[in-house]
Amino acid sequence: MGLIEFSKLPVNTLVGADWRTFKTVTKDQHIAPEKRTKFLLTKAICRLLSVCVPLQDRKYRKLLADKPIENDPLFIVGHWRCGTTFVHNIFAQDKHFGYTTTYQTVFPHYVMALQGLFKPTMGWLMPNKRPTDNMELAPDLPQEEEFALNNACPYNYYNFWFFPERMQEYADRYLTFRDIRPDELEEFKQAFTKLVKISLWNTGGTQYLSKNPPHTGRLKALTELFPDAKFVYLMRNPYTVFESTRSFFLNTIHPLELHSIPQEQFEQNILRNYMELYHAYKEQKQFVPKENIIEVKFEDIERNPLEMIEDIYRRLRIPGWEEARADITAYIEGKKGYRKNRYEYDPRTIELVNEHWGEVLQDWGYERQTPPANIVAEN
């Protein structure tokens, strides 16, 4: 257990942003009076640290800026709580993959310089389990790169963690890039390319491994950057996804937010954005060569993880399966006793999912529940 509980964070993750990103994200924002101390402390630390950003920038220009990315990435996509973390961790056992670490997600500007100073402190302070689902946490473990992009580029969906009142605006502009300006999209692409190069340098990988739910609605932009990228799209029982997403977002957002919205509004945002992401994926997967994308139910991976992962390697022509098999097997075997969070589908949940996500239930063949049944779900 770390020194600081996640629920009692005195700052939010913007402490690791560069100063321009911080100013752009927070300009003219509504800060709740009870959150002002957190905001001012975050701002002060960010301003202090940001004077060191040029240290990495110089090293990046010297070592990586002009170096091409030799192998296009493997992207694990799907809505939050669809099992992307588990699948990401499985693939990360393959040593040819490089990835963004948990440390890098908070401090993306202090990886090539000052990591030796900041990372031990982060490891000492942070909890060793993710508070929402008991997944392990440590500075060097693979993590979702959207958090790192949030501190390196102001045009980011995850700005809603801090300012949930604008969640829908951020979704329309930056979750699916529907309303993004061309200059914002170009800056995002540059920031992501830089992140990939530094992540590979940091972990010693030869192919970038991405796990990032927001990328689910960005396939067109990603294939413009990486034409031969591979994609694994995960789908999971929508009733479980709704219960788990609501719990995950609500428990995670409170220590980070600088104002708040009612839970009912947050639920409506989840319901809407799930379908926005689903439709964006269906519309944009045409830009990915058919041989470079595979769609999988997470329940199938849970039942036969080793067999399913081997099948993904084969169908997407990912190199290194035989070399990685032993490490992947050991990781999967080590997770057999993992205790999942448990949820009950209450009648209201069933009604909301049936009303808003019925299309997905039908498309993917999930059984439509009838309220007021109480069914136990696992996360």
Side-chain angles (χ1 to χ4, degrees), residues 168 171-172 178 268-276 357:
Q168 292 312 117
D172 292 342
R178 185 179 69 186
Q268 289 301 313
N269 291 344
I270 292 171
L271 291 165
R272 175 187 183 272
N273 292 341
Y274 178 97
M275 294 308 300
E276 289 288 312
W357 296 356

Side-chain angles (χ1 to χ4, degrees), residues 54-287:
L55 295 176
Q56 174 166 282
D57 286 345
R58 285 196 292 268
K59 194 168 185 179
Y60 175 78
R61 287 194 297 269
K62 181 179 179 180
L63 297 180
L64 301 177
D66 297 327
K67 185 178 179 181
I69 297 172
E70 296 180 359
N71 301 296
D72 284 354
L74 170 64
F75 291 97
I76 299 168
V77 296
H79 192 273
W80 295 265
R81 320 310 296 154
C82 280
T84 54
T85 296
F86 179 58
V87 175
H88 187 221
N89 287 345
I90 291 176
F91 277 99
Q93 307 311 305
D94 184 337
K95 294 179 176 58
H96 101 272
F97 282 120
Y99 45 79
T100 299
T101 65
T102 301
Y103 168 82
Q104 189 179 359
T105 61
V106 181
F107 298 109
H109 302 288
Y110 315 107
V111 177
M112 300 183 76
L114 300 179
Q115 182 172 189
L117 176 64
F118 292 163
K119 187 168 71 174
T121 303
M122 179 179 176
W124 178 53
L125 293 174
M126 69 184 294
N128 57 14
K129 297 286 185 181
R130 200 161 66 177
T132 53
D133 57 8
N134 295 319
M135 291 293 290
E136 65 266 37
L137 280 176
D140 287 322
L141 288 177
Q143 190 55 263
E144 177 180 324
E145 69 261 24
E146 192 76 3
F147 293 105
L149 290 167
N150 195 211
N151 277 351
C153 176
Y155 312 121
N156 193 285
Y157 174 59
Y158 277 5
N159 291 340
F160 88 82
W161 292 115
F162 320 118
F163 306 110
E165 290 175 347
R166 300 178 65 184
M167 187 175 182
Q168 292 312 117
E169 174 193 344
Y170 293 139
D172 292 342
R173 295 176 68 182
Y174 308 133
L175 178 59
T176 64
F177 291 163
R178 185 179 69 186
D179 296 336
I180 196 170
R181 299 196 314 261
D183 62 305
E184 293 175 337
L185 179 57
E186 181 58 31
E187 184 168 339
F188 173 87
K189 289 181 176 180
Q190 292 177 6
F192 186 48
T193 300
K194 182 177 181 180
L195 178 71
V196 169
K197 290 183 177 183
I198 292 176
S199 298
L200 291 172
W201 176 90
N202 183 49
T203 56
T206 58
Q207 183 177 14
Y208 184 68
L209 175 65
S210 164
K211 171 255 177 179
N212 202 41
H215 283 342
T216 308
R218 303 168 179 168
L219 270 59
K220 182 176 185 294
L222 294 174
T223 53
E224 288 170 354
L225 273 177
F226 306 108
D228 195 39
K230 309 296 193 295
F231 293 86
V232 178
Y233 174 73
L234 296 175
M235 179 54 68
R236 193 180 189 184
N237 188 312
Y239 299 105
T240 299
V241 170
F242 178 77
E243 290 283 1
S244 188
T245 301
R246 179 174 58 188
S247 173
F248 174 68
F249 277 0
L250 290 175
N251 286 318
T252 304
I253 197 171
H254 290 313
L256 304 178
E257 66 186 7
L258 295 172
H259 60 235
S260 60
I261 59 175
Q263 179 172 329
E264 293 76 13
Q265 183 179 346
F266 211 90
E267 287 180 341
Q268 289 301 313
N269 291 344
I270 292 171
L271 291 165
R272 175 187 183 272
N273 292 341
Y274 178 97
M275 294 308 300
E276 289 288 312
L277 205 62
Y278 183 65
H279 289 143
Y281 168 78
K282 289 178 67 176
E283 292 165 3
Q284 295 185 33
K285 68 179 183 179
Q286 64 177 303
F287 298 104

